Every structure is written in C-alpha cells, then in structure tokens.
Amino acid sequence: MTTGRTNEPNPYLWPKAVARVPALEFRRAPLLTAVCWFALGEVLARNHAPTVILLLAMSLLCALAFAGLRWSLRIAILPLAALWMALGLFCVELQPVPPTQHTLKSYADGLSRQVQGRVVRIRELAPQHQDPDHDKEHGWWAEKEEAEEAATVGALSVDIQVDSVEEVTPDVAWMAPVRGGVRVNIVADKPAAQSLAPSFPSALPTLKCGDLVQAPMRLKVAEYYRDPGAWQYADYLLAQGIGAHASVRASKVSVLKDSAFAPSLQSDRAAQWQCRIFAAQSWASGRVLGYIHSKANRGLPMILRLSDDDGGMLNAMLFGDRAGLNKTQRVGFERTGSFHLFVVSGMHVGLLAGLVFWLASRLKLRDLFATLLTIVLTFGYALLTGFGAPVQRALFMTTVFLLARLLTRDRNVLNALGAAAMAVLVLSPSALFEASFQMTFLAIVAIGGIAIPLGERSFLPYARAAEHLWDRWHDAALPPRVAQFRLMLRLWSEAIANVLGHWARGLPSAIVRGNLWALELSLIGLVAEMVMVLPMAVYFHRATMFAVPTNMLSVPLVAILAPTAVVTFCASLVSPWIALLPGAITALLLHGVTGVIGHISAVHAADLRVPGPVWWVAAIAVAAWAFCCWAVRQSRAWAWAAVIMLPCVAAIVLWPEHAIVSRGMMEVTAIDVGQGDSIFIAAPDGATMLIDAGGPVGGVTEAAEATSRFDVGEEVVSPYLWSRRFRRLDVVALSHAHSDHMGGMPAVLRNFRPRELWVSIDPNSDAYRSLLSEAKDLGITVRHFYAGTQIAWGGTQITMLAPETGYVNPRDPVNNDSLVMRMQYGDASVLLEGDAEAPSEREMLAHGRIAPVTLLKVGHHGSRTSTTQEFFNAAAPKDAVVSVGKGNTFGHPRYEVIERIAEARAKLYRTDEFGLTTFLLGRGGEIRELVDASNP
C-alpha cells in the first residue's frame, strides 16, 4: 500500500495505539451518562413537577416507539435513560427528611427550664475584642449579660444532645422527653469583686464526651433572615444537629451519674464517637499551637517563625479547624479565588490520596495494595479533620474512584467520576444541590473531560517525547511529527553537550519538559476557572480575575507546604526541637504563599462581585460544557470549537443583566437584618441608595465558631441586592456609627462600589474611621450632611432633618447622631429616622421640620426612647415599618410605641414578623405593601 508520495513515510506503518484521546462514547463512559440522567430525575423530584414528569415520560415512550421502528440496535439507550431518571426520583422519595426539631424549638419561649442531655462536642471560645460602637440600651433578659461576658472573657461552647426538657405549668413541673441539640455557652461565675478577670480555664467545668449534664437554660432559636439568598445560621446549626442555643453560668451546670438513668441509645453512642472525632481535631489543632508557642519556634527569625495567624491557617488547612483563621486572611484568599487551598476540602483529600497512591506506586506495590493503603490513610486523615459532610463526600468519591479504576480495564476518568457521583447521589440525593458536590464534580469534568484531552491534542505528546530522550526504542511508537521533534531535540542536546560538556546533554529536554508541564498547569487552571465561573457566580457572587496566576503560583507551593506541615505536626508530637527544621521550612513556604496572595488581593480588580445568572443561562453553560467534553474527543477542528466556546460561555455567565426595579415608583424596602437597620431605596428613575447595612448588636454574636466569618453585609444585605441583579449602588448612607447599622457596611462598599457615602457627624470611633478610610481607598466620595440641606436625587426631593448644624459629638457614637431624612416624590413621602431619640425629635419639632408623611421608618427599632407621641402626631403616617430582631433582648418594639401606632390607625409592619418588606409609593401619594417580598 502506498500513499502516492515517495519521500514521506507511510502513515499506515505507524502504530494505531498512539491515539490518546478516544471519542466520548456511551460504551466508554456509561456511568457518566447514567449519573446525568439520575441527577435529572432528582432535579425533577426536587421541584415537584408531576406534569413535567408525565410529559417527559410520554415523550420518551414516543421516542422509544420511533427508535424501535428505525434503529432497533440502539433501542436500549432511551429506556435506560428513563430507568435512571426513575431511580433518581425513587431515591429522593426514600431519603429521610432531616429532623427540624420543632418540639425542642417550641420550648424557646422565654422561660428558664431545666435541660438534660449528653455532651457531644466541647470547644473553648477565646475572648473577643469589645466593640464600643454599639447601642448601650440595657436588655431585659439576664442571659444578655452572660452572653456579653462570654464575648468579653471567653467561654466554653458545649453541644448537648438533649434527652429531656422541663415542662412548666402553674401547678407542677416535670421532665418531658425531647430529642434535639442545644449549643450552650458556659460562662465563668462572676467574681465577687467587680472585675471581669476570672481565671478562665479554672473557672469553667471540666467536661468530657458522653457526660450527662443538666442546667437551667433559657432556650433561644437562631436568627432567621427572611431575605432572598441570605446565609442562614439556623440552617447551619440544624445541619449539625443543633436546634437551639443558650448561655448559662458554670455553677448552674450539673454533671449527673449515668447509673440513675436509662442506658445509652444507639444514637447516643454515635454522638459520643462524633464527639471523640471533634476532640481529636481539637487535640491536633492544640499540638500545632503548642509548637508555635514553644521556645524553639519563638527563637527563630520572623521569616522562619510561625505566628498565631500562621497557626490558624495551618489548622484550617490540615484539620479543618477555622476558629483561628482571621477575617483579613479569609477575605484575601476569597478575593483571589484561592480560599480552597487553606481549608480542608475535596482538594486536600484528593491531594493526600494522590500523594499516597503515587508513593505506593513508586514503591512498586501492587495496585490492590496501593488502593487499599490509600483508602485507609485517607480515611484516617478525614477523621482527624472532624469528618464533616464535604470531607465525607470527598472521601467517598475518592474511594469509589479508586475502586472503579482498580476494577475496570478501560480506566476512563469520566466513567470513574460517574461511578463516584452515582454512589454519592444514591446515598445522599440532596448532595446534588450543594455547592461542594457541584464544584468537585465540575472541577474533575473540567480537568479530566476537557483540559487533558485538549493537551493531548496539542502539546502533551511532545512533553512525553522529551522523556527518556536517549532510549531510541520509544521512537517507533510515536507519530511522525512527534518522532521528528524527538530527533531534533536529541541533535540539539548533542550539540550543547559538545560545547558545555557531557553534563549539559539533558539540559534541553529538561527545559522543554518543564515549559510544557507548566503549560499543562496553565491550561488546567484556565479551563477549570472558565468552568468554575458558574458555581462561583451562583454561590459566592465572585468573578476572580486573577485566580489562574494566583493558583499557578500558590498550588505548587501548597503541594510542598501541605506535606511539610504534616511532617512538622508529627515531629512536634515528639519534641518542638525536632520539629524546628520542618517548622522553619513550613513558615517560609507559608509566608511566601500569603505574601503572593496578599499582594494580588490588594488590587481592586482582583475581585469582581457579580449577581448569579438566571437558570436558563446556567442550563446553557452546562450543555456547552457537555458539548466541549464531546468535541475535544472528535477531531482537531471540533477541539478548536470547544476552545472558542469555553470563554464565550464564561462571558455569558458574567454578562450584566438589567436590574429588577419598579420604574416610575419610589421603592422603600426594609431588609430583614435582625436587630439592626438596613433600608434600600430605589428612586423612580432607577437610582439606588442603601441606608445602613445592619450588623452585630454590641459584642454579642450567636455563632460560636462562625463569628470570625459571619458578616451581615456580606451574608444578608449583599445577597438580597444581587438577587435584584444590582452590581453597583449610587449612594450608601450611614445614619450613625453604631455597629447594628454600620457593621455590614464595609462589605457593601467593597461589593457594590457606591459613588457616594453620606454621613452626618464624625464621632470618636475606630470602626467609623476605618470605614471612611476604606471609602477613600475605593474612590468613594464622602459627603457630610446636616439639617436643612436639600438635594434633588433620582426624581425625588431629599431634605435632611437632623442633626442640627453645629452639633458635634467628640465621644463614642450615640443614637442622637442619627442622620434623619425625608424623601418626597410627588404627593408621596417617607421619613427615615435612623435611631434618633426624643432630644433629636424635639429639635426637629421645634424647627417645624416634621410634616405628615406616607411612610415612617420607626426610630430606634421601636424603643420607648423614640417615636414620641408629639413626633408621631406630627408625622401622621399611613404606614409604619420597624426593623427589629425576633426575640431580641431589648423588648423592641415596645408596647407603648405599638399602641401609639395602632391608635392612629396606621398600618405597622415588623421585619421580625413579616421579614423583608417592600413599599411602593406612587406620585399621587398611593402606597402598596409587599410583605415578605423578594423581587417587586
């Protein structure tokens, strides 16, 4: 057989086995196809669409009949698809509904009750920085003082699996059996002297896993924010089996003897094992901190010395303990798309499994032993990290992946991925809708399904050709162009060796291999980022512009850092002096990584915050990635089509959409931020303003280990604005510098880059000065306003009513610093009072600035110190709205204010009862209320 050309080699003589990119066919990855249909069934079951299911089943039957007439050999594919969809529906129906703990929550009624249960988790809470910029109004529950003291001096956070709760009636009380979980902050008893300096470790009880305890508690249910997209601490607790929380003094906690009670249930024993796992995690974190505080580490130069912040990062990276990870570090990692490097995730489990498997292979262990060793060691590491749900899924997927690889002759990555995903979805159908599962699945698809085949069609054959350069037997198995490249590289090597000596003979091949493998890393990173743009936009509202270079620089360092840190930890178990050398290397690598990330995150363009795309854009993206997986396995031309499609899909996902506004109406939305204030204003012409952004009340926070990362501006206010498709705000206004109004504002400034920041006076507050500094860094114009100022804005007329010109406050912020505004649109108006109290209200009345309005934002959350009778009579609103937290310790809104509004026959709307509430005001003075509204 000839080719018609005498000077070229016959291509039919070259081996066919060199094609390393096989076509994507059903027979090569049947499990991947199966899991896709299975997931579709779960999606249909999740959305409860019986009509759609029926129509789809009928369509499949019709297609089956048609296929049976035309292509009988392929008839099995359609019924198989229907079967897997039905199995997906079936698994969703079989999945047990997680307990909502309604019975336990019913006891969160303000009464102090005896609660009995077993200890399932113990953590020490370090003291928090006391915030002077909080509302100093006294609460009316005794536990408020205990909670504030816990934040000041530290506490012991204990999770209790409840056995019984005291049932209280006017005649008799008894212990009623109740199942659920309570998170308790145990606070040291107050010393006799009026000093908040108790001996923290010795003043708290010594508890261990499985202890049966009893204490009087006033149970509270975690705050639930009724806003679109808001992160819910209540759901976070419920996922950990916690339905309520409380604070209690140490002296009131009693440890009971088991002999007087019924034997432990199977669930009790499971909880004890979970407690021991948490204890192991705390022990491991403590050993790392022990080395950091040792004399050996403290004697090293700063560049080689691990600090407490470094310890927080290492504990988060190695053991999943994020308690020591400070907010500045977290924000820097998130802005650069590298946060996954420093928290235990599927990547760390996969990295460890890959390292162990590679070492086992290098030791010439058989595949069976290498697989079993990898699974066992990975399982032990997962236990040490706390065995959280994402780690469990990553371990499970890794195990199934390794087993599928071991048992199948055709070791197709996508087929093994399908087997692992199928196993996870069968056991936990709800995992399909969790970010961690989706991101793990998409990352493997991006790497194994798109990036590697693209590399195989371009430069990876040349990288392999540069290996074993002087072994000429490899030449015969290579395509002509690759063999020619290998021959030329060999000639170059000989020429360089003649000039520089024999030692330089391997230099050209090493340079080629290094560059091509770096190119492979770049390709993998680029493709992965273009695929991950969808989950990043949906779940984190981020478009990390510098994620590829950051990860290219950081991942190799982390790949060395992680095993070095493990060696440091193991050595510290023997002696800090033995851990000195690996600890110094760990510090050097860690400081290198944090330095790179810190410099990149300082660039404003490094982090672009975006709304999540609509559902049909996400569907187009998924379909496009499936096409790319198919196309890169067909031919070079189809591979180029995939290369063009990938950035186009990323651009579609990030393409700006029109914001959802009600043109021609003035919108006032009270965002549910708990016991705080945040008001969103949309002007008739579409201009936007946010007044306040909520925040913590004083030093009290509900989330024990979540305190370092929960930000109401990031987790509540911003998601609502993103749900409305807003990317930027025109104005952000701060009524006054109390934390429950200002706490979430830095995140809002960073996320939405408003053009102007409106404030009143400048009190003596570090947090306020920090906010002004951040506004300056972001290029935001800061404007100060006083009473009497009038502004035309967005088709409305704004009049400032307070504070008076010349009013100053050189001390800590107070409520009467509040910037009070009246906004007029035709005959409709709204009065936004902030937290102004009676003295400020009297000043406004004395100057004749208060006139009847359509809507009143009640001052100071409905406190008796605001909204006086005279002020309310002058305002005479049709509607009134108060922003207040459910079950707050201040008793807001006070009954005097509620009665005052009711007697005037004005409608009262409360965010603790109605959630987010929107008011639409027309030019003619009409007003329409949308209760619990998401998008008007």
Side-chain angles (χ1 to χ4, degrees):
M1 184 181 296
T2 62
T3 62
R5 297 182 181 180
T6 59
N7 295 329
E8 293 186 2
N10 190 338
Y12 293 97
L13 298 178
W14 297 96
K16 300 295 184 182
V18 297
R20 302 180 68 95
V21 189
L24 185 60
E25 300 174 352
F26 175 78
R27 64 181 179 83
R28 297 188 58 83
L31 289 177
L32 179 66
T33 308
V35 79
C36 292
W37 289 110
F38 188 89
L40 180 58
E42 291 188 347
V43 170
L44 294 175
R46 171 88 170 214
N47 291 278
H48 301 290
T51 304
V52 175
I53 296 172
L54 179 60
L55 291 175
L56 187 58
M58 292 175 63
S59 301
L60 286 173
L61 287 175
C62 292
L64 180 61
F66 180 79
L69 293 174
R70 297 291 302 273
W71 302 288
S72 58
L73 294 178
R74 300 180 180 181
I75 198 171
I77 295 179
L78 290 177
L80 278 175
L83 175 62
W84 283 112
M85 289 176 61
L87 286 174
L89 289 164
F90 184 67
C91 285
V92 171
E93 295 299 324
L94 288 182
Q95 185 183 28
V97 178
T100 56
Q101 303 192 22
H102 283 310
T103 304
L104 178 65
K105 292 178 181 178
S106 66
Y107 289 101
D109 54 5
L111 297 179
S112 180
R113 305 170 182 273
Q114 292 289 334
V115 177
Q116 179 183 297
R118 293 189 178 276
V119 174
V120 295
R121 188 171 187 179
I122 307 167
R123 286 153 298 172
E124 288 187 2
L125 302 181
Q128 301 172 15
H129 173 67
Q130 191 170 13
D131 182 10
D133 302 329
H134 69 272
D135 193 339
K136 296 176 175 62
E137 182 177 357
H138 295 294
W140 58 282
W141 281 6
E143 283 75 5
K144 179 177 183 289
E145 180 184 358
E146 295 169 3
E148 289 178 338
E149 195 170 317
T152 304
V153 304
L156 197 66
S157 176
V158 179
D159 290 357
I160 297 176
Q161 187 181 58
V162 177
D163 293 332
S164 57
V165 177
E166 183 182 17
E167 187 73 57
V168 180
T169 66
D171 301 323
V172 66
W174 72 95
M175 299 300 291
V178 176
R179 304 296 294 179
V182 176
R183 178 159 294 170
V184 185
N185 282 354
I186 301 178
V187 188
D189 292 313
K190 199 169 185 179
Q194 296 301 313
S195 171
L196 290 178
S199 179
F200 173 61
S202 60
L204 295 173
T206 302
L207 300 175
K208 61 181 183 299
C209 295
D211 279 349
L212 190 64
V213 297
Q214 181 172 311
M217 304 177 192
R218 203 183 303 270
L219 298 178
K220 290 190 67 180
V221 177
E223 189 81 60
Y224 193 88
Y225 301 102
R226 294 166 63 181
D227 307 290
W231 180 82
Q232 303 297 348
Y233 179 57
D235 294 340
Y236 170 81
L237 285 181
L238 199 60
Q240 302 176 50
I242 304 298
H245 62 95
S247 296
V248 64
R249 294 284 182 185
S251 60
K252 297 179 181 179
V253 179
S254 303
V255 181
L256 306 178
K257 294 183 179 179
D258 287 337
S259 58
F261 297 89
S264 297
L265 301 174
Q266 183 68 29
S267 59
D268 295 333
R269 289 192 290 271
Q272 290 179 34
W273 275 107
Q274 186 69 43
C275 186
R276 291 188 179 97
I277 291 173
F278 290 143
Q281 180 189 41
S282 299
W283 168 82
S285 300
R287 296 299 301 189
V288 171
L289 295 177
Y291 167 74
I292 290 172
H293 298 148
S294 67
K295 184 181 295 186
N297 178 66
R298 291 201 304 268
L300 292 172
M302 182 174 294
I303 190 66
L304 301 177
R305 184 172 66 239
L306 291 172
S307 65
D308 286 331
D309 287 343
D310 297 334
M313 283 188 285
L314 289 177
N315 284 332
M317 182 174 65
L318 296 178
F319 311 119
D321 184 358
R322 305 185 191 180
L325 193 63
N326 67 49
K327 188 174 180 180
T328 303
Q329 295 168 333
R330 182 184 179 92
V331 169
F333 299 144
E334 289 176 343
R335 285 170 59 85
T336 56
S338 55
F339 186 67
H340 62 282
L341 299 176
F342 289 93
V343 294
V344 173
S345 60
M347 189 202 76
H348 290 78
V349 174
L351 184 63
L352 177 67
L355 179 63
V356 172
F357 192 82
W358 178 79
L359 288 174
S361 301
R362 298 295 292 181
L363 294 174
K364 307 299 182 183
L365 295 180
R366 297 179 62 182
D367 272 1
L368 176 61
F369 295 126
T371 300
L372 293 178
L373 179 64
T374 302
I375 292 173
V376 170
L377 292 181
T378 307
F379 177 75
Y381 173 71
L383 290 178
L384 203 59
T385 65
F387 212 56
V391 173
Q392 291 179 33
R393 281 199 297 271
L395 174 64
F396 192 59
M397 291 187 71
T398 300
T399 302
V400 175
F401 186 90
L402 290 172
L403 292 176
R405 180 189 179 280
L406 180 66
L407 298 176
T408 57
R409 289 178 299 172
D410 184 9
R411 294 176 178 178
N412 187 289
V413 172
L414 295 181
N415 194 48
L417 173 63
M422 177 69 73
V424 171
L425 294 181
V426 167
L427 293 179
S428 178
S430 60
L432 177 64
F433 306 96
E434 297 180 9
S436 58
F437 174 84
Q438 294 177 15
M439 295 181 77
T440 300
F441 186 86
L442 287 176
I444 299 176
V445 167
I447 296 171
I450 302 176
I452 296 300
L454 278 177
E456 292 291 349
R457 288 204 175 275
S458 51
F459 58 87
L460 284 182
Y462 296 94
R464 285 190 297 274
E467 297 176 350
H468 309 292
L469 189 61
W470 305 101
D471 189 349
R472 289 176 171 80
W473 286 104
H474 288 284
D475 295 1
L478 297 176
R481 289 186 179 182
V482 180
Q484 179 69 20
F485 168 79
R486 184 178 170 88
L487 176 62
M488 294 301 298
L489 188 60
R490 194 179 294 131
L491 294 175
W492 294 337
S493 299
E494 291 176 348
I496 291 176
N498 291 333
V499 177
L500 301 179
H502 183 75
W503 66 269
R505 195 171 71 155
L507 194 59
S509 61
I511 294 174
V512 169
R513 287 198 309 272
N515 287 330
L516 291 181
W517 292 130
L519 183 60
E520 181 188 23
L521 182 62
S522 303
L523 176 64
I524 289 174
L526 192 61
V527 172
E529 290 301 328
M530 284 191 289
V531 171
M532 298 303 284
V533 69
L534 177 62
M536 287 294 291
V538 170
Y539 296 108
F540 305 105
H541 300 284
R542 292 185 183 275
T544 48
M545 310 306 293
F546 297 138
V548 173
T550 302
N551 282 286
M552 283 185 61
L553 293 172
S554 300
V555 169
L557 292 176
V558 171
I560 304 172
L561 170 62
T564 307
V566 171
V567 172
T568 302
F569 166 73
C570 295
S572 69
L573 299 179
V574 181
S575 170
W577 295 102
I578 297 177
L580 192 63
L581 179 59
I585 298 174
T586 298
L588 185 63
L589 291 170
L590 185 61
H591 294 159
V593 173
T594 54
V596 169
I597 292 175
H599 282 87
I600 295 178
S601 67
V603 181
H604 291 323
D607 185 29
L608 176 66
R609 306 309 299 270
V610 296
V614 294
W615 69 268
W616 57 267
V617 171
I620 289 175
V622 172
W625 296 330
F627 166 79
C628 290
C629 287
W630 173 84
V632 295
R633 288 166 169 79
Q634 297 304 305
S635 64
R636 190 179 296 272
W638 281 111
W640 274 109
V643 169
I644 296 172
M645 179 169 288
L646 282 172
C648 292
V649 171
I652 291 173
V653 170
L654 298 177
W655 194 261
E657 300 178 40
H658 292 295
I660 302 174
V661 294
S662 300
R663 295 279 179 177
M665 305 285 285
M666 180 169 66
E667 175 197 335
V668 180
T669 295
I671 303 174
D672 181 10
V673 292
Q675 186 64 19
D677 259 16
S678 186
I679 305 294
F680 172 72
I681 310 288
D685 68 353
T688 54
M689 178 189 298
L690 183 74
I691 303 174
D692 297 330
V697 181
V700 182
T701 52
E702 290 178 342
E705 77 255 30
T707 50
S708 64
R709 60 182 184 273
F710 180 76
D711 183 331
V712 70
E714 175 69 29
E715 308 288 357
V716 177
V717 179
S718 294
Y720 169 68
L721 297 175
W722 284 319
S723 75
R724 301 277 302 272
R725 308 281 183 256
F726 291 112
R727 290 175 176 249
R728 192 170 186 186
L729 296 173
D730 295 302
V731 176
V732 168
L734 175 65
S735 64
H736 65 300
H738 272 163
S739 60
D740 57 331
H741 295 247
M742 184 178 64
M745 195 158 284
V748 171
L749 295 186
R750 291 190 298 267
N751 294 341
F752 295 94
R753 309 290 173 91
R755 293 172 175 82
E756 295 181 352
L757 172 63
W758 294 3
V759 297
S760 59
I761 66 163
D762 296 330
N764 182 24
S765 164
D766 290 338
Y768 175 74
R769 285 188 286 270
S770 176
L771 180 71
L772 296 185
S773 176
E774 179 137 23
K776 180 180 178 181
D777 291 342
L778 294 172
I780 301 170
T781 303
V782 179
R783 301 181 63 184
H784 291 74
F785 291 100
Y786 297 91
T789 305
Q790 293 191 355
I791 300 174
W793 177 80
T796 70
Q797 187 70 22
I798 300 178
T799 304
M800 305 300 173
L801 307 181
E804 293 296 325
T805 303
Y807 172 84
V808 293
N809 176 21
R811 295 177 294 277
D812 290 342
V814 296
N815 290 327
N816 284 319
D817 297 343
S818 292
L819 179 67
V820 181
M821 292 186 286
R822 177 191 174 99
M823 302 183 70
Q824 188 82 31
Y825 174 54
D827 294 332
S829 57
V830 57
L831 177 57
L832 304 162
E833 198 181 354
D835 275 2
E837 295 183 328
S840 180
E841 292 180 353
R842 284 194 294 270
E843 286 286 341
M844 288 184 276
L845 290 170
H847 288 83
R849 297 194 179 103
I850 305 303
V853 295
T854 310
L855 174 65
L856 170 67
K857 203 290 293 183
V858 176
H860 197 197
H861 320 289
S863 168
R864 63 184 176 185
T865 61
S866 299
T867 321
T868 59
Q869 186 68 62
E870 297 78 11
F871 184 85
F872 184 78
N873 291 342
K878 294 180 181 178
D879 285 3
V881 60
V882 55
S883 184
V884 63
K886 190 175 184 66
N888 66 86
T889 59
F890 303 98
H892 294 163
R894 298 303 292 258
Y895 69 91
E896 304 101 310
V897 177
I898 295 175
E899 288 184 352
R900 195 170 296 148
I901 296 173
E903 290 172 357
R905 299 186 181 278
K907 299 178 184 177
L908 175 62
Y909 294 86
R910 302 167 46 167
T911 57
D912 62 335
E913 293 185 354
F914 299 110
L916 179 140
T917 306
T918 295
F919 302 88
L920 297 177
L921 288 77
R923 179 180 290 276
E926 65 275 10
I927 182 170
R928 182 161 62 97
E929 306 87 359
L930 300 174
V931 176
D932 205 6
S934 56
N935 295 320

